[in-house]
Amino acid sequence: MRRNQKAEATPPRRKLRREVLQWLKDGQHELLERVKARGGNTGELMELIANRINISNAYLRVRRNHGSHGIDGRSIDETIDDMKRRRGEILESLLQGKYKATPVRGVEIPKPNGGTRQLGIPTVQDRIIQQAVHQILSPLFEPQFSDSSYGFRPGRSAHDAVEKMRNLYNQGYCYVVDIDLSKYFDTINHDLLLEMLRRTIKDERVIQLIKNFLKSGIMKDGVVVETEAGSPQGGNLSPLLSNIYLTPFDREMERRGHKFARYADDVNIYVKSKRAAIRVMQSCTRFLERKLKLRVNREKSQAGSPIGIKFLGYTLQESPQALGVAQLSVHPKPIERFKSKIRAITRRGDSIKEVIKQLNQASTGWVNYYRKASMTSLLQSLDGWIRRRIRMLQWRYWKKPKTRYKELIKLGIGCKRAYADAHSSKGAWASARSWSMHHAMTNTHIGSLGYKTLVSIYKRFNPPVVNSVL
């Protein structure tokens, strides 16, 4: 009886939740329309940021992102309970321009090409406030951004940036200026950034709030270090601020008539000659270092052919079908990182099916990101390699020769062949390539265990185009 009552009560709750979410969505839309109508010339921008609907939507976004805790160690649920109790106090501090940000938690993560990247993880409360600011400021600054800027913007992606790279090359821009900014997010000049913000934002409380976040400090090994420059990656405002800071560079490139694609701090400028590439490299370096006070890594920056140069994990290669036409492919470095991840997955696991589930998740994410590349042959090769890893893992699970012999017999291998391979002195990797394992764990058998091939995932993301004949 209780189960039936609970089942009957669930739909109204879901309906109420949908209605609340729709109310928040409609309310946010109205807020953004007010922002667009007023622009940044209103002195009441903070009232829009501190609006109940805007704060609620910011909380939902932060919750969906499942971020880590800040220096206070509080989870999202713990923080929300505290914010509900102190709601009046928090809103009052925002409206009076007295909100104090907590220092971020410093975390260093390894970079794919060596070295480390510094992240600054704000507390959950600060992330919610930052997201609330981002939601109101984004429609103010979006119209100011360049059409050649693709990072952290609604309706734009890395795929758009790499497609532009390919199109420009095929239009005759066969040389690229690949600029590498050294620790960009850590070297943003606060004074210059605040000056850029003041050109659009006339509510000084908002400026001071952003300044407070920028200079909140970073805690490393229990010690708070002051932040004199930079906008640490990890905060919800950092992507927007990074785009605002590089907008003068984008406009300078447009003024000079250059063709380029920028995704956050990854900048590629396309020209038609080697001589022009060298000249553009020198002039852009001067602008970035003198005007924006950034550091260009001269060792990693390069000017030359884009064939083989990595941009957002992709690269260009000459099409075998047409001379002078390029197609997108995956750069070797991401392939090696993907294989390292597959190796890590296939070293552990409670069962083959659990491992295959993890493989499918990793494969789907990787193929989805690189789906713009021409890589059917690459994926076929990787599929064969992954299946061998699965066979190797199964061989290890069987452990003893007696168990291996019995399992091979069960899978249809003859006694003599099964006995010989089960008692082989070869290692697991070599045994995974044996006749017995290939015929016992066929591609069809591995597929029956749930493995989704990279090729099948790729085809799902790139369905064939059918031309209808009228």
Side-chain angles (χ1 to χ4, degrees), residues 419-452:
Y419 185 88
D421 286 338
H423 290 80
S424 171
S425 60
K426 293 179 181 179
W429 180 242
S431 296
R433 201 177 183 181
S434 68
W435 186 94
S436 293
M437 284 303 288
H438 263 276
H439 285 76
M441 295 190 68
T442 62
N443 295 352
T444 303
H445 176 76
I446 293 175
S448 70
L449 297 175
Y451 176 65
K452 298 177 182 177

PDB file of all heavy atoms in Angstrom, residues 419-452:
ATOM      1  N   TYR A 419      45.490 -27.025 -24.324  1.00  0.00           N
ATOM      2  CA  TYR A 419      46.515 -27.435 -23.356  1.00  0.00           C
ATOM      3  C   TYR A 419      47.855 -26.768 -23.663  1.00  0.00           C
ATOM      4  O   TYR A 419      48.543 -26.277 -22.763  1.00  0.00           O
ATOM      5  CB  TYR A 419      46.665 -28.958 -23.360  1.00  0.00           C
ATOM      6  CG  TYR A 419      47.612 -29.465 -22.297  1.00  0.00           C
ATOM      7  CD1 TYR A 419      47.153 -29.750 -21.024  1.00  0.00           C
ATOM      8  CD2 TYR A 419      48.966 -29.631 -22.584  1.00  0.00           C
ATOM      9  CE1 TYR A 419      48.024 -30.202 -20.036  1.00  0.00           C
ATOM     10  CE2 TYR A 419      49.851 -30.074 -21.603  1.00  0.00           C
ATOM     11  CZ  TYR A 419      49.373 -30.359 -20.326  1.00  0.00           C
ATOM     12  OH  TYR A 419      50.239 -30.783 -19.347  1.00  0.00           O
ATOM     13  N   ALA A 420      48.224 -26.730 -24.951  1.00  0.00           N
ATOM     14  CA  ALA A 420      49.510 -26.145 -25.339  1.00  0.00           C
ATOM     15  C   ALA A 420      49.569 -24.661 -24.997  1.00  0.00           C
ATOM     16  O   ALA A 420      50.562 -24.175 -24.427  1.00  0.00           O
ATOM     17  CB  ALA A 420      49.742 -26.369 -26.833  1.00  0.00           C
ATOM     18  N   ASP A 421      48.507 -23.918 -25.337  1.00  0.00           N
ATOM     19  CA  ASP A 421      48.521 -22.473 -25.073  1.00  0.00           C
ATOM     20  C   ASP A 421      48.347 -22.159 -23.590  1.00  0.00           C
ATOM     21  O   ASP A 421      48.908 -21.192 -23.086  1.00  0.00           O
ATOM     22  CB  ASP A 421      47.423 -21.780 -25.892  1.00  0.00           C
ATOM     23  CG  ASP A 421      47.788 -21.688 -27.365  1.00  0.00           C
ATOM     24  OD1 ASP A 421      48.995 -21.759 -27.675  1.00  0.00           O
ATOM     25  OD2 ASP A 421      46.873 -21.545 -28.206  1.00  0.00           O
ATOM     26  N   ALA A 422      47.570 -22.959 -22.874  1.00  0.00           N
ATOM     27  CA  ALA A 422      47.356 -22.720 -21.444  1.00  0.00           C
ATOM     28  C   ALA A 422      48.640 -22.907 -20.650  1.00  0.00           C
ATOM     29  O   ALA A 422      48.853 -22.251 -19.623  1.00  0.00           O
ATOM     30  CB  ALA A 422      46.267 -23.640 -20.915  1.00  0.00           C
ATOM     31  N   HIS A 423      49.508 -23.809 -21.102  1.00  0.00           N
ATOM     32  CA  HIS A 423      50.765 -24.083 -20.400  1.00  0.00           C
ATOM     33  C   HIS A 423      51.957 -23.380 -21.043  1.00  0.00           C
ATOM     34  O   HIS A 423      53.114 -23.696 -20.749  1.00  0.00           O
ATOM     35  CB  HIS A 423      51.010 -25.601 -20.355  1.00  0.00           C
ATOM     36  CG  HIS A 423      50.057 -26.328 -19.458  1.00  0.00           C
ATOM     37  ND1 HIS A 423      48.775 -26.654 -19.847  1.00  0.00           N
ATOM     38  CD2 HIS A 423      50.199 -26.779 -18.175  1.00  0.00           C
ATOM     39  CE1 HIS A 423      48.155 -27.285 -18.860  1.00  0.00           C
ATOM     40  NE2 HIS A 423      49.003 -27.377 -17.833  1.00  0.00           N
ATOM     41  N   SER A 424      51.672 -22.409 -21.907  1.00  0.00           N
ATOM     42  CA  SER A 424      52.752 -21.672 -22.566  1.00  0.00           C
ATOM     43  C   SER A 424      53.497 -20.803 -21.564  1.00  0.00           C
ATOM     44  O   SER A 424      52.920 -20.296 -20.586  1.00  0.00           O
ATOM     45  CB  SER A 424      52.183 -20.800 -23.692  1.00  0.00           C
ATOM     46  OG  SER A 424      53.169 -19.932 -24.191  1.00  0.00           O
ATOM     47  N   SER A 425      54.777 -20.599 -21.791  1.00  0.00           N
ATOM     48  CA  SER A 425      55.591 -19.741 -20.913  1.00  0.00           C
ATOM     49  C   SER A 425      55.527 -18.276 -21.326  1.00  0.00           C
ATOM     50  O   SER A 425      56.167 -17.422 -20.701  1.00  0.00           O
ATOM     51  CB  SER A 425      57.050 -20.213 -20.935  1.00  0.00           C
ATOM     52  OG  SER A 425      57.575 -20.150 -22.259  1.00  0.00           O
ATOM     53  N   LYS A 426      54.793 -17.982 -22.376  1.00  0.00           N
ATOM     54  CA  LYS A 426      54.674 -16.595 -22.846  1.00  0.00           C
ATOM     55  C   LYS A 426      53.924 -15.746 -21.820  1.00  0.00           C
ATOM     56  O   LYS A 426      53.095 -16.243 -21.062  1.00  0.00           O
ATOM     57  CB  LYS A 426      53.928 -16.554 -24.180  1.00  0.00           C
ATOM     58  CG  LYS A 426      54.682 -17.205 -25.344  1.00  0.00           C
ATOM     59  CD  LYS A 426      53.840 -17.140 -26.601  1.00  0.00           C
ATOM     60  CE  LYS A 426      54.553 -17.795 -27.770  1.00  0.00           C
ATOM     61  NZ  LYS A 426      53.725 -17.766 -29.001  1.00  0.00           N
ATOM     62  N   GLY A 427      54.205 -14.444 -21.841  1.00  0.00           N
ATOM     63  CA  GLY A 427      53.507 -13.517 -20.960  1.00  0.00           C
ATOM     64  C   GLY A 427      52.080 -13.265 -21.419  1.00  0.00           C
ATOM     65  O   GLY A 427      51.660 -13.734 -22.491  1.00  0.00           O
ATOM     66  N   ALA A 428      51.338 -12.497 -20.621  1.00  0.00           N
ATOM     67  CA  ALA A 428      49.920 -12.243 -20.909  1.00  0.00           C
ATOM     68  C   ALA A 428      49.733 -11.489 -22.221  1.00  0.00           C
ATOM     69  O   ALA A 428      48.806 -11.776 -22.987  1.00  0.00           O
ATOM     70  CB  ALA A 428      49.281 -11.474 -19.755  1.00  0.00           C
ATOM     71  N   TRP A 429      50.598 -10.512 -22.502  1.00  0.00           N
ATOM     72  CA  TRP A 429      50.454  -9.706 -23.720  1.00  0.00           C
ATOM     73  C   TRP A 429      50.683 -10.564 -24.963  1.00  0.00           C
ATOM     74  O   TRP A 429      49.941 -10.468 -25.936  1.00  0.00           O
ATOM     75  CB  TRP A 429      51.416  -8.536 -23.670  1.00  0.00           C
ATOM     76  CG  TRP A 429      51.373  -7.631 -24.872  1.00  0.00           C
ATOM     77  CD1 TRP A 429      52.375  -7.369 -25.746  1.00  0.00           C
ATOM     78  CD2 TRP A 429      50.253  -6.850 -25.312  1.00  0.00           C
ATOM     79  NE1 TRP A 429      51.960  -6.487 -26.723  1.00  0.00           N
ATOM     80  CE2 TRP A 429      50.654  -6.145 -26.470  1.00  0.00           C
ATOM     81  CE3 TRP A 429      48.942  -6.683 -24.855  1.00  0.00           C
ATOM     82  CZ2 TRP A 429      49.817  -5.284 -27.169  1.00  0.00           C
ATOM     83  CZ3 TRP A 429      48.092  -5.822 -25.549  1.00  0.00           C
ATOM     84  CH2 TRP A 429      48.526  -5.140 -26.684  1.00  0.00           C
ATOM     85  N   ALA A 430      51.706 -11.429 -24.914  1.00  0.00           N
ATOM     86  CA  ALA A 430      51.979 -12.315 -26.050  1.00  0.00           C
ATOM     87  C   ALA A 430      50.883 -13.374 -26.179  1.00  0.00           C
ATOM     88  O   ALA A 430      50.442 -13.701 -27.293  1.00  0.00           O
ATOM     89  CB  ALA A 430      53.340 -12.979 -25.880  1.00  0.00           C
ATOM     90  N   SER A 431      50.399 -13.889 -25.052  1.00  0.00           N
ATOM     91  CA  SER A 431      49.347 -14.913 -25.083  1.00  0.00           C
ATOM     92  C   SER A 431      48.041 -14.361 -25.631  1.00  0.00           C
ATOM     93  O   SER A 431      47.236 -15.095 -26.220  1.00  0.00           O
ATOM     94  CB  SER A 431      49.124 -15.481 -23.677  1.00  0.00           C
ATOM     95  OG  SER A 431      50.284 -16.152 -23.217  1.00  0.00           O
ATOM     96  N   ALA A 432      47.817 -13.059 -25.443  1.00  0.00           N
ATOM     97  CA  ALA A 432      46.585 -12.444 -25.944  1.00  0.00           C
ATOM     98  C   ALA A 432      46.529 -12.474 -27.465  1.00  0.00           C
ATOM     99  O   ALA A 432      45.458 -12.330 -28.056  1.00  0.00           O
ATOM    100  CB  ALA A 432      46.492 -11.000 -25.442  1.00  0.00           C
ATOM    101  N   ARG A 433      47.678 -12.695 -28.081  1.00  0.00           N
ATOM    102  CA  ARG A 433      47.737 -12.734 -29.544  1.00  0.00           C
ATOM    103  C   ARG A 433      47.754 -14.174 -30.077  1.00  0.00           C
ATOM    104  O   ARG A 433      47.868 -14.391 -31.290  1.00  0.00           O
ATOM    105  CB  ARG A 433      48.996 -11.987 -30.009  1.00  0.00           C
ATOM    106  CG  ARG A 433      48.953 -11.512 -31.432  1.00  0.00           C
ATOM    107  CD  ARG A 433      50.201 -10.718 -31.758  1.00  0.00           C
ATOM    108  NE  ARG A 433      50.156 -10.177 -33.109  1.00  0.00           N
ATOM    109  CZ  ARG A 433      51.122  -9.468 -33.669  1.00  0.00           C
ATOM    110  NH1 ARG A 433      52.221  -9.201 -32.976  1.00  0.00           N
ATOM    111  NH2 ARG A 433      51.012  -9.013 -34.894  1.00  0.00           N
ATOM    112  N   SER A 434      47.651 -15.124 -29.185  1.00  0.00           N
ATOM    113  CA  SER A 434      47.733 -16.532 -29.587  1.00  0.00           C
ATOM    114  C   SER A 434      46.498 -16.955 -30.391  1.00  0.00           C
ATOM    115  O   SER A 434      45.444 -16.307 -30.330  1.00  0.00           O
ATOM    116  CB  SER A 434      47.866 -17.421 -28.350  1.00  0.00           C
ATOM    117  OG  SER A 434      46.669 -17.397 -27.591  1.00  0.00           O
ATOM    118  N   TRP A 435      46.640 -18.066 -31.117  1.00  0.00           N
ATOM    119  CA  TRP A 435      45.530 -18.595 -31.915  1.00  0.00           C
ATOM    120  C   TRP A 435      44.342 -18.914 -31.023  1.00  0.00           C
ATOM    121  O   TRP A 435      43.193 -18.604 -31.362  1.00  0.00           O
ATOM    122  CB  TRP A 435      46.009 -19.861 -32.647  1.00  0.00           C
ATOM    123  CG  TRP A 435      45.006 -20.410 -33.610  1.00  0.00           C
ATOM    124  CD1 TRP A 435      44.919 -20.146 -34.937  1.00  0.00           C
ATOM    125  CD2 TRP A 435      43.948 -21.334 -33.308  1.00  0.00           C
ATOM    126  NE1 TRP A 435      43.871 -20.823 -35.509  1.00  0.00           N
ATOM    127  CE2 TRP A 435      43.244 -21.562 -34.530  1.00  0.00           C
ATOM    128  CE3 TRP A 435      43.500 -21.960 -32.149  1.00  0.00           C
ATOM    129  CZ2 TRP A 435      42.144 -22.410 -34.612  1.00  0.00           C
ATOM    130  CZ3 TRP A 435      42.402 -22.800 -32.233  1.00  0.00           C
ATOM    131  CH2 TRP A 435      41.731 -23.020 -33.433  1.00  0.00           C
ATOM    132  N   SER A 436      44.603 -19.518 -29.856  1.00  0.00           N
ATOM    133  CA  SER A 436      43.512 -19.916 -28.955  1.00  0.00           C
ATOM    134  C   SER A 436      42.711 -18.718 -28.469  1.00  0.00           C
ATOM    135  O   SER A 436      41.469 -18.742 -28.490  1.00  0.00           O
ATOM    136  CB  SER A 436      44.074 -20.680 -27.743  1.00  0.00           C
ATOM    137  OG  SER A 436      44.611 -21.913 -28.123  1.00  0.00           O
ATOM    138  N   MET A 437      43.386 -17.657 -28.040  1.00  0.00           N
ATOM    139  CA  MET A 437      42.670 -16.492 -27.512  1.00  0.00           C
ATOM    140  C   MET A 437      41.894 -15.782 -28.612  1.00  0.00           C
ATOM    141  O   MET A 437      40.797 -15.268 -28.383  1.00  0.00           O
ATOM    142  CB  MET A 437      43.639 -15.543 -26.827  1.00  0.00           C
ATOM    143  CG  MET A 437      44.093 -16.013 -25.448  1.00  0.00           C
ATOM    144  SD  MET A 437      42.692 -16.294 -24.309  1.00  0.00           S
ATOM    145  CE  MET A 437      42.174 -14.624 -23.958  1.00  0.00           C
ATOM    146  N   HIS A 438      42.460 -15.733 -29.814  1.00  0.00           N
ATOM    147  CA  HIS A 438      41.751 -15.077 -30.913  1.00  0.00           C
ATOM    148  C   HIS A 438      40.498 -15.849 -31.314  1.00  0.00           C
ATOM    149  O   HIS A 438      39.489 -15.254 -31.705  1.00  0.00           O
ATOM    150  CB  HIS A 438      42.679 -14.915 -32.118  1.00  0.00           C
ATOM    151  CG  HIS A 438      43.313 -13.561 -32.194  1.00  0.00           C
ATOM    152  ND1 HIS A 438      42.697 -12.477 -32.757  1.00  0.00           N
ATOM    153  CD2 HIS A 438      44.510 -13.114 -31.725  1.00  0.00           C
ATOM    154  CE1 HIS A 438      43.476 -11.422 -32.670  1.00  0.00           C
ATOM    155  NE2 HIS A 438      44.593 -11.778 -32.045  1.00  0.00           N
ATOM    156  N   HIS A 439      40.548 -17.160 -31.222  1.00  0.00           N
ATOM    157  CA  HIS A 439      39.388 -17.963 -31.611  1.00  0.00           C
ATOM    158  C   HIS A 439      38.429 -18.201 -30.443  1.00  0.00           C
ATOM    159  O   HIS A 439      37.246 -18.484 -30.656  1.00  0.00           O
ATOM    160  CB  HIS A 439      39.847 -19.302 -32.206  1.00  0.00           C
ATOM    161  CG  HIS A 439      40.396 -19.159 -33.584  1.00  0.00           C
ATOM    162  ND1 HIS A 439      41.649 -18.648 -33.833  1.00  0.00           N
ATOM    163  CD2 HIS A 439      39.841 -19.451 -34.799  1.00  0.00           C
ATOM    164  CE1 HIS A 439      41.859 -18.631 -35.143  1.00  0.00           C
ATOM    165  NE2 HIS A 439      40.788 -19.111 -35.759  1.00  0.00           N
ATOM    166  N   ALA A 440      38.932 -18.065 -29.225  1.00  0.00           N
ATOM    167  CA  ALA A 440      38.051 -18.193 -28.053  1.00  0.00           C
ATOM    168  C   ALA A 440      37.324 -16.874 -27.796  1.00  0.00           C
ATOM    169  O   ALA A 440      36.106 -16.854 -27.591  1.00  0.00           O
ATOM    170  CB  ALA A 440      38.870 -18.591 -26.825  1.00  0.00           C
ATOM    171  N   MET A 441      38.084 -15.776 -27.805  1.00  0.00           N
ATOM    172  CA  MET A 441      37.489 -14.450 -27.597  1.00  0.00           C
ATOM    173  C   MET A 441      37.520 -13.700 -28.921  1.00  0.00           C
ATOM    174  O   MET A 441      38.349 -12.817 -29.164  1.00  0.00           O
ATOM    175  CB  MET A 441      38.242 -13.686 -26.510  1.00  0.00           C
ATOM    176  CG  MET A 441      38.137 -14.319 -25.131  1.00  0.00           C
ATOM    177  SD  MET A 441      38.786 -13.257 -23.824  1.00  0.00           S
ATOM    178  CE  MET A 441      37.595 -11.911 -23.821  1.00  0.00           C
ATOM    179  N   THR A 442      36.623 -14.090 -29.790  1.00  0.00           N
ATOM    180  CA  THR A 442      36.528 -13.447 -31.098  1.00  0.00           C
ATOM    181  C   THR A 442      36.028 -12.010 -30.941  1.00  0.00           C
ATOM    182  O   THR A 442      35.549 -11.607 -29.867  1.00  0.00           O
ATOM    183  CB  THR A 442      35.557 -14.214 -31.996  1.00  0.00           C
ATOM    184  OG1 THR A 442      34.249 -14.189 -31.382  1.00  0.00           O
ATOM    185  CG2 THR A 442      36.005 -15.649 -32.184  1.00  0.00           C
ATOM    186  N   ASN A 443      36.099 -11.245 -32.018  1.00  0.00           N
ATOM    187  CA  ASN A 443      35.573  -9.880 -31.986  1.00  0.00           C
ATOM    188  C   ASN A 443      34.088  -9.880 -31.630  1.00  0.00           C
ATOM    189  O   ASN A 443      33.608  -9.018 -30.886  1.00  0.00           O
ATOM    190  CB  ASN A 443      35.788  -9.197 -33.337  1.00  0.00           C
ATOM    191  CG  ASN A 443      37.261  -8.997 -33.655  1.00  0.00           C
ATOM    192  OD1 ASN A 443      38.122  -9.233 -32.807  1.00  0.00           O
ATOM    193  ND2 ASN A 443      37.548  -8.549 -34.873  1.00  0.00           N
ATOM    194  N   THR A 444      33.369 -10.873 -32.163  1.00  0.00           N
ATOM    195  CA  THR A 444      31.932 -10.982 -31.861  1.00  0.00           C
ATOM    196  C   THR A 444      31.708 -11.282 -30.387  1.00  0.00           C
ATOM    197  O   THR A 444      30.809 -10.708 -29.759  1.00  0.00           O
ATOM    198  CB  THR A 444      31.296 -12.087 -32.723  1.00  0.00           C
ATOM    199  OG1 THR A 444      31.526 -11.801 -34.102  1.00  0.00           O
ATOM    200  CG2 THR A 444      29.800 -12.178 -32.459  1.00  0.00           C
ATOM    201  N   HIS A 445      32.531 -12.153 -29.824  1.00  0.00           N
ATOM    202  CA  HIS A 445      32.403 -12.502 -28.412  1.00  0.00           C
ATOM    203  C   HIS A 445      32.670 -11.281 -27.534  1.00  0.00           C
ATOM    204  O   HIS A 445      31.927 -11.016 -26.567  1.00  0.00           O
ATOM    205  CB  HIS A 445      33.383 -13.621 -28.061  1.00  0.00           C
ATOM    206  CG  HIS A 445      33.384 -13.977 -26.594  1.00  0.00           C
ATOM    207  ND1 HIS A 445      32.380 -14.716 -26.016  1.00  0.00           N
ATOM    208  CD2 HIS A 445      34.263 -13.668 -25.598  1.00  0.00           C
ATOM    209  CE1 HIS A 445      32.623 -14.860 -24.719  1.00  0.00           C
ATOM    210  NE2 HIS A 445      33.768 -14.240 -24.444  1.00  0.00           N
ATOM    211  N   ILE A 446      33.713 -10.517 -27.864  1.00  0.00           N
ATOM    212  CA  ILE A 446      34.027  -9.314 -27.081  1.00  0.00           C
ATOM    213  C   ILE A 446      32.900  -8.299 -27.213  1.00  0.00           C
ATOM    214  O   ILE A 446      32.525  -7.622 -26.253  1.00  0.00           O
ATOM    215  CB  ILE A 446      35.372  -8.723 -27.535  1.00  0.00           C
ATOM    216  CG1 ILE A 446      36.518  -9.692 -27.169  1.00  0.00           C
ATOM    217  CG2 ILE A 446      35.616  -7.357 -26.896  1.00  0.00           C
ATOM    218  CD1 ILE A 446      37.877  -9.276 -27.665  1.00  0.00           C
ATOM    219  N   GLY A 447      32.304  -8.225 -28.408  1.00  0.00           N
ATOM    220  CA  GLY A 447      31.159  -7.340 -28.591  1.00  0.00           C
ATOM    221  C   GLY A 447      29.974  -7.764 -27.747  1.00  0.00           C
ATOM    222  O   GLY A 447      29.233  -6.929 -27.218  1.00  0.00           O
ATOM    223  N   SER A 448      29.794  -9.091 -27.574  1.00  0.00           N
ATOM    224  CA  SER A 448      28.686  -9.590 -26.756  1.00  0.00           C
ATOM    225  C   SER A 448      28.873  -9.246 -25.282  1.00  0.00           C
ATOM    226  O   SER A 448      27.908  -9.221 -24.513  1.00  0.00           O
ATOM    227  CB  SER A 448      28.534 -11.104 -26.927  1.00  0.00           C
ATOM    228  OG  SER A 448      29.633 -11.792 -26.328  1.00  0.00           O
ATOM    229  N   LEU A 449      30.116  -8.981 -24.892  1.00  0.00           N
ATOM    230  CA  LEU A 449      30.387  -8.567 -23.509  1.00  0.00           C
ATOM    231  C   LEU A 449      30.064  -7.092 -23.278  1.00  0.00           C
ATOM    232  O   LEU A 449      30.117  -6.614 -22.143  1.00  0.00           O
ATOM    233  CB  LEU A 449      31.857  -8.833 -23.163  1.00  0.00           C
ATOM    234  CG  LEU A 449      32.309 -10.304 -23.183  1.00  0.00           C
ATOM    235  CD1 LEU A 449      33.817 -10.391 -22.942  1.00  0.00           C
ATOM    236  CD2 LEU A 449      31.557 -11.112 -22.138  1.00  0.00           C
ATOM    237  N   GLY A 450      29.746  -6.385 -24.364  1.00  0.00           N
ATOM    238  CA  GLY A 450      29.354  -4.981 -24.234  1.00  0.00           C
ATOM    239  C   GLY A 450      30.316  -3.989 -24.837  1.00  0.00           C
ATOM    240  O   GLY A 450      30.049  -2.783 -24.830  1.00  0.00           O
ATOM    241  N   TYR A 451      31.442  -4.446 -25.394  1.00  0.00           N
ATOM    242  CA  TYR A 451      32.426  -3.511 -25.929  1.00  0.00           C
ATOM    243  C   TYR A 451      31.889  -2.826 -27.186  1.00  0.00           C
ATOM    244  O   TYR A 451      31.444  -3.481 -28.126  1.00  0.00           O
ATOM    245  CB  TYR A 451      33.733  -4.229 -26.250  1.00  0.00           C
ATOM    246  CG  TYR A 451      34.758  -3.327 -26.909  1.00  0.00           C
ATOM    247  CD1 TYR A 451      35.301  -2.251 -26.219  1.00  0.00           C
ATOM    248  CD2 TYR A 451      35.156  -3.540 -28.223  1.00  0.00           C
ATOM    249  CE1 TYR A 451      36.222  -1.410 -26.822  1.00  0.00           C
ATOM    250  CE2 TYR A 451      36.079  -2.710 -28.834  1.00  0.00           C
ATOM    251  CZ  TYR A 451      36.602  -1.642 -28.123  1.00  0.00           C
ATOM    252  OH  TYR A 451      37.520  -0.800 -28.733  1.00  0.00           O
ATOM    253  N   LYS A 452      31.952  -1.495 -27.189  1.00  0.00           N
ATOM    254  CA  LYS A 452      31.548  -0.692 -28.348  1.00  0.00           C
ATOM    255  C   LYS A 452      32.810  -0.246 -29.081  1.00  0.00           C
ATOM    256  O   LYS A 452      33.651   0.440 -28.503  1.00  0.00           O
ATOM    257  CB  LYS A 452      30.732   0.521 -27.905  1.00  0.00           C
ATOM    258  CG  LYS A 452      29.432   0.174 -27.206  1.00  0.00           C
ATOM    259  CD  LYS A 452      28.716   1.438 -26.731  1.00  0.00           C
ATOM    260  CE  LYS A 452      27.435   1.086 -25.987  1.00  0.00           C
ATOM    261  NZ  LYS A 452      26.763   2.307 -25.449  1.00  0.00           N
TER     262      LYS A 452
END
